[in-house]
Amino acid sequence: MSNRWRAVALGVAGAAATAIPAFAVDLDVTCRCVIGGVNSGTAEWIENSVIPAFEAAHPDVDVRLNQFGGEDAQLTQQLALDFSTGAGPDVSAFDGFLIPSFVEGGLLKPLNAVAGEAVDSWTGWAALSEGSRALMAYQGDYYGIPLGTDVRMLYTRKDILSEAGIDAENWQPASWDDILAAARAIKQVKPDSFPIQLNAGVAMGEATTMQGYWLALLGTGEGVTDESGKFIVASQGILDTLNLYKTIYVDEQLGEQRAQLLADGRNRSFANFRDGVTALLFEGDYFYRSVTPEGSEFAVPDRDAVLGWAKIPAKAPGAGIRGQDFVTISGGTGFVINPATDAPAEAWAFLSFMNEPEQLAAFQAIQPRITARTDVEIPNNPFLTETSQALLPLTTARPNDPNYNAVSAEIQRMTEAVVSGELSPEDAMAQYGSAVIAIVGEENTVSLL
Amino acid sequence: MTTETTAAPRKRKPRNFALLSNWAGAAFLTPAGILVSVFVIVPFFWVIFVSFTNRTLLGRTALNPEFVGLGNYLTLFDPATFFQRGQFGFSLILTTQFVLASALLGQALLGLLLAWLIQTVPPWVKRITETFVIAAWILPEVVIGFAWFAFLDRDQGTLNMILEGVGLPPGDFLLQQPFWVIVAFNTWRGAAFSMMLFSSAFSSIPPSYFQAADVAGASSWQKFRDIGLPLIHGHIVTDLILITMWTFNTFTPFLLTNGGPSYRTELVSIYNYRVAFQDFQFGKGAAVGVIMMLINLAFALIYLSIGRKKKVR
């Protein structure tokens, strides 16, 4: 065989070799989850339960899970850039609050526009309540299937509260002053500790807004937007919230300032609670279900005896949003389909498959949580049942607004400026105000001062 | 004499001894030309165009960007916010301080000192020094960033272990003195270039100059001041301009501090990255990019004009 013919033969063989697997469809699935790392339960569920079962039912589809170990904001960045260029995973985990900005940017399409009729005829929709479907919807269209929702609370270390002479079993603060008083009492007996953790700063990303700022702001009776949807750029509520941050992190060092400023601050805050440095931690219910279970990095030793929780009080009784004594906020996550997927039918088949009761039940077995589907049994988990029953009636949601994402980033900058001691609450609010006006336009903002 | 003057400045006629015809030459150049225009020229004008719009990646202005004229530039140079932390002016001033401290003072001085010192030491010391300094320069940035992060960490960092070992108080450098951390980092990282440049300049000075000075009883400082420095003057100018440009554009400090805490290390390049790829404001980010291009152009012109003067001389 001459060299030329050999080259041709090799070429043909190579082409044939790459052509044969092309009959199978490859699906890429991404979530911010790593087995043995962040959201380990989700990764374990997809890798060990959903994918094998799905591939058994669809032998021509090859599913691969990309375990993304970075921060939430980094995944958002990657998905935004990927989706804008037609690249990226076929199916991805997604935080519901990002949907409006992605949709308005043309980076997400309604599920039925991507995958066609199969979406509308899915029987699973009926099992999702209106409220939970709204978590992944925008202006009447569904962009993903919600996996579940969450609530926020004040976690306590009963052992440390007791040390400070507080009745840990029945402790329920009725105002911000009650929380600060408890923190001061703890600081008195443990001067090296940082009793409170209320998230702040840029590094924690949306966790600052959701597990920090909102929880205080709602307690002043305000939200990020007013009833007509205008963004509030100056108000007493913002000032009160920033002053609370200042009290905790600058004036009295009741919380660890470093943890708010360092890149791995969120993990530090978890480690502080695990190690008993922090006794009062504002977090979502997933802190219980996926951060502190036995065997995980931040597992709280002897959790059932040591970990307690309280409702988050308003600044003063009755001062919270809608006149409430206690406040909380909920978000929702789920999975979306990349509008540029090469295999929309298979992507939808996978997405709906993972949201059928059998797979969700398998997820509950790994990690019990508040589900979105009414036909999936709420896990036999007293903690989650109790907290969701107490807190879901009090809850609120973030504005379904395409600018919220950008405004939230400004909130993170504003809180960082205060907790780092760089700016006074007044100056930080002024900077926030001008930044928000630049984002949404002056006509969409309002000052309450 | 007369014959010489007529012969000397004869204008040389360009001789056309082409290997290929003009057409064939053009045909061979076309692929390269297309690549350059697709990847350099088009993006260049595209960035300028985008800088006049309010285009974003997310939200309504992603699909329907509007032409805002000089709006982005006016926002960047708005006197009301210009000097605020996290604004363009703040990072521009910070970058200027960074260039002065880490490039002009740090890299150039350290490079000069090292280059001078290794002229006289035994060859093996010279080789070891060069190896270490150049290693700092050529190692991958991510590796370097990670190593420095580990070095400076408050709780488990090597630096604090050393400080405590000799009885000094430990520091929280990345949070307390972030600016000086990136200055030290960039000095350490970039001193190699200046060292190599000055070292080759010094070794091009005829040894007899120094031998004569030795005979006259000159001190090392006098030799440096009166012989070394004047003779490498041109190299110093070249070095300063090049490292100023590189330091102005450097992004590596991001790996150490993310531009924080609270914008205290947000250099212009990091500011540009944040605006464009974290806040997804492409229009404003493009405007920052255009301004950076103009500043670089100014440096490049200075550099070229100095080079031309040297040739004329």
Side-chain angles (χ1 to χ4, degrees):
Chain A
M1 204 157 41
S2 75
N3 270 343
R4 180 187 294 178
W5 283 112
R6 192 172 292 144
V8 170
L10 280 175
V12 169
T18 51
I20 289 163
F23 291 109
V25 174
D26 289 320
L27 275 186
D28 269 352
V29 180
T30 289
C31 65
R32 183 176 168 260
C33 59
V34 177
I35 293 180
V38 61
N39 295 323
S40 177
T42 312
E44 228 175 283
W45 170 56
I46 296 176
E47 192 76 84
N48 300 336
S49 175
V50 182
I51 291 180
F54 181 78
E55 285 182 342
H58 301 77
D60 53 338
V61 184
D62 206 18
V63 188
R64 204 168 58 98
L65 174 69
N66 310 310
Q67 302 183 27
F68 185 91
E71 300 296 321
D72 280 322
Q74 289 167 342
L75 181 59
T76 308
Q77 184 181 23
Q78 190 176 325
L79 290 178
L81 293 170
D82 276 352
F83 286 6
S84 71
T85 55
D90 302 285
V91 176
S92 178
F94 209 79
D95 203 328
F97 83 99
L98 294 166
I99 283 179
S101 62
F102 269 65
V103 171
E104 293 286 350
L107 305 185
L108 275 181
K109 295 210 161 54
L111 284 176
N112 52 13
V114 176
E117 229 161 65
V119 173
D120 297 320
S121 57
W122 185 49
T123 51
W125 292 117
L128 291 161
S129 70
E130 183 113 0
S132 61
R133 265 178 286 166
L135 294 169
M136 302 296 282
Y138 178 57
Q139 295 184 341
D141 285 314
Y142 301 128
Y143 293 87
I145 301 181
L147 202 55
T149 184
D150 50 19
V151 286
R152 273 137 197 83
M153 64 198 87
L154 179 55
Y155 286 91
T156 61
R157 287 280 304 229
K158 293 190 212 165
D159 50 343
I160 299 171
L161 282 174
S162 304
E163 249 181 87
I166 296 162
D167 174 12
E169 291 298 332
N170 302 308
W171 188 68
Q172 172 57 63
S175 67
W176 289 359
D177 286 340
D178 286 357
I179 300 177
L180 293 172
R184 288 177 191 128
I186 294 167
K187 190 93 181 171
Q188 199 109 55
V189 284
K190 291 167 76 91
D192 292 337
S193 72
F194 295 105
I196 301 186
Q197 172 64 38
L198 179 69
N199 288 356
V202 174
M204 295 196 196
E206 185 64 14
T208 285
T209 321
M210 269 303 253
Q211 277 84 249
Y213 187 76
W214 270 110
L215 302 178
L217 187 69
L218 288 168
T220 70
E222 292 178 18
V224 168
T225 54
D226 71 0
E227 301 84 48
S228 61
K230 290 188 172 183
F231 285 89
I232 301 170
V233 292
S235 71
Q236 193 55 46
I238 299 177
L239 280 179
D240 289 346
T241 301
L242 295 180
N243 273 310
L244 177 65
Y245 273 115
K246 186 162 171 280
T247 307
I248 293 173
Y249 290 108
V250 182
D251 296 344
E252 303 189 31
Q253 317 261 311
L254 297 172
E256 192 190 16
Q257 190 187 44
R258 295 186 83 235
Q260 321 309 310
L261 301 176
L262 287 171
D264 66 340
R266 189 121 191 263
N267 285 348
R268 287 187 71 94
S269 76
F270 295 155
N272 280 347
F273 192 80
R274 172 195 64 195
D275 303 338
V277 173
T278 293
L280 307 167
L281 175 83
F282 293 84
E283 270 295 350
D285 58 71
Y286 51 81
F287 179 71
Y288 178 86
R289 67 178 141 83
S290 66
V291 179
T292 58
E294 211 170 308
S296 60
E297 188 184 354
F298 302 110
V300 173
D302 198 13
R303 179 168 83 166
D304 293 336
V306 152
L307 187 100
W309 70 278
K311 291 182 279 185
I312 298 165
K315 184 169 186 258
I321 192 107
R322 300 179 296 232
Q324 290 173 191
D325 296 335
F326 301 99
V327 296
T328 189
I329 188 166
S330 298
T333 56
F335 282 80
V336 296
I337 297 181
N338 182 346
T341 176
D342 295 328
E346 288 80 3
W348 167 255
F350 182 80
L351 179 62
S352 51
F353 183 85
M354 73 191 285
N355 283 286
E356 294 292 0
E358 303 79 58
Q359 284 308 319
L360 292 177
F363 195 10
Q364 296 293 357
I366 297 170
Q367 183 196 96
R369 60 189 291 158
I370 308 170
T371 51
R373 274 184 81 127
T374 48
D375 58 351
V376 175
E377 286 215 6
I378 303 232
N380 180 23
N381 185 308
F383 182 90
L384 288 176
T385 314
E386 198 183 318
T387 52
S388 59
Q389 279 170 0
L391 298 174
L392 280 175
L394 297 170
T395 203
T396 18
R398 286 169 282 195
N400 207 2
D401 186 295
N403 288 314
Y404 172 77
N405 190 27
V407 171
S408 177
E410 294 303 331
I411 289 172
Q412 292 148 31
R413 288 176 189 141
M414 171 167 68
T415 56
E416 179 165 302
V418 171
V419 302
S420 66
E422 300 260 342
L423 290 185
S424 69
E426 288 77 12
D427 290 344
M429 184 174 75
Q431 233 180 64
Y432 169 75
S434 55
V436 173
I437 287 171
I439 294 167
V440 304
E442 186 136 33
E443 66 282 5
N444 295 318
T445 62
V446 58
S447 167
L448 303 184
L449 280 182
Chain B
M1 285 303 248
T2 44
T3 49
E4 263 185 48
T5 43
T6 49
R10 186 196 292 165
K11 252 192 185 167
R12 205 183 287 163
K13 235 183 174 182
R15 264 186 69 196
N16 197 359
F17 63 108
L19 290 170
L20 300 165
S21 73
N22 282 348
W23 283 111
F28 274 102
L29 272 178
T30 310
I34 291 174
L35 284 177
V36 168
S37 42
V38 167
F39 291 109
V40 178
I41 297 174
V42 170
F44 177 79
F45 286 103
W46 178 246
V47 165
I48 294 177
F49 170 73
V50 171
S51 76
F52 295 119
T53 70
N54 62 0
R55 198 176 128 88
T56 54
L57 182 64
L58 299 179
R60 282 187 188 117
T61 41
L63 288 184
N64 305 302
E66 293 151 14
F67 187 78
V68 294
L70 290 174
N72 288 321
Y73 295 92
L74 294 177
T75 316
L76 289 177
F77 287 101
D78 182 358
T81 56
F82 189 71
F83 294 108
Q84 275 177 12
R85 291 163 344 99
Q87 299 290 342
F88 182 60
F90 182 86
S91 67
L92 208 56
I93 293 166
L94 192 77
T95 310
T96 311
Q97 293 168 338
F98 180 67
V99 168
L100 286 174
S102 77
L104 302 187
L105 287 177
Q107 289 183 10
L109 274 189
L110 183 63
L112 192 63
L113 185 72
L114 284 170
W116 181 252
L117 290 179
I118 61 173
Q119 296 305 312
T120 46
V121 294
W124 63 272
V125 179
K126 180 175 174 172
R127 266 201 299 281
I128 290 174
T129 314
E130 278 177 343
T131 309
F132 274 102
V133 177
I134 292 170
W137 192 40
I138 59 170
L139 281 172
E141 306 206 315
V142 176
V143 177
I144 294 283
F146 189 77
W148 268 71
F149 203 79
F151 176 66
L152 293 166
D153 187 70
R154 187 194 70 165
D155 300 322
Q156 274 113 38
T158 326
L159 180 57
N160 275 340
M161 273 184 210
I162 296 172
L163 286 178
E164 282 177 326
V166 297
L168 290 169
D172 194 359
F173 305 99
L174 282 167
L175 286 185
Q176 304 290 334
Q177 289 91 21
F179 177 73
W180 294 109
V181 164
I182 61 169
V183 165
F185 170 74
N186 193 49
T187 302
W188 171 85
R189 172 109 171 122
F193 175 77
S194 301
M195 184 193 80
M196 289 194 299
L197 187 82
F198 294 143
S199 177
S200 72
F202 280 135
S203 54
S204 70
I205 300 173
S208 58
Y209 291 15
F210 295 114
Q211 286 155 4
D214 281 337
V215 171
S219 70
S220 183
W221 163 246
Q222 284 167 332
K223 282 187 280 186
F224 174 72
R225 190 190 58 193
D226 297 329
I227 303 171
L229 219 43
L231 287 175
I232 63 160
H233 169 255
H235 293 87
I236 293 179
V237 177
T238 308
D239 179 68
L240 291 185
I241 291 171
L242 285 179
I243 62 175
T244 300
M245 270 173 85
W246 294 337
T247 304
F248 181 80
N249 291 309
T250 188
F251 187 73
T252 323
F254 181 85
L255 297 171
L256 275 182
T257 63
N258 271 311
S262 276
Y263 309 105
R264 280 157 69 194
T265 57
E266 197 175 63
L267 305 170
V268 179
S269 55
I270 298 174
Y271 174 79
N272 195 5
Y273 171 78
R274 168 166 73 84
V275 169
F277 294 111
Q278 288 185 327
D279 298 351
F280 301 123
Q281 297 177 309
F282 284 172
K284 193 175 167 193
V288 179
V290 169
I291 296 168
M292 286 180 73
M293 272 199 277
L294 290 177
I295 295 174
N296 279 316
L297 191 67
F299 284 131
L301 287 178
I302 298 172
Y303 178 61
L304 289 176
S305 77
I306 288 171
R308 222 171 281 138
K309 260 186 224 148
K310 239 192 266 167
K311 257 182 221 150
V312 170
R313 215 189 293 152

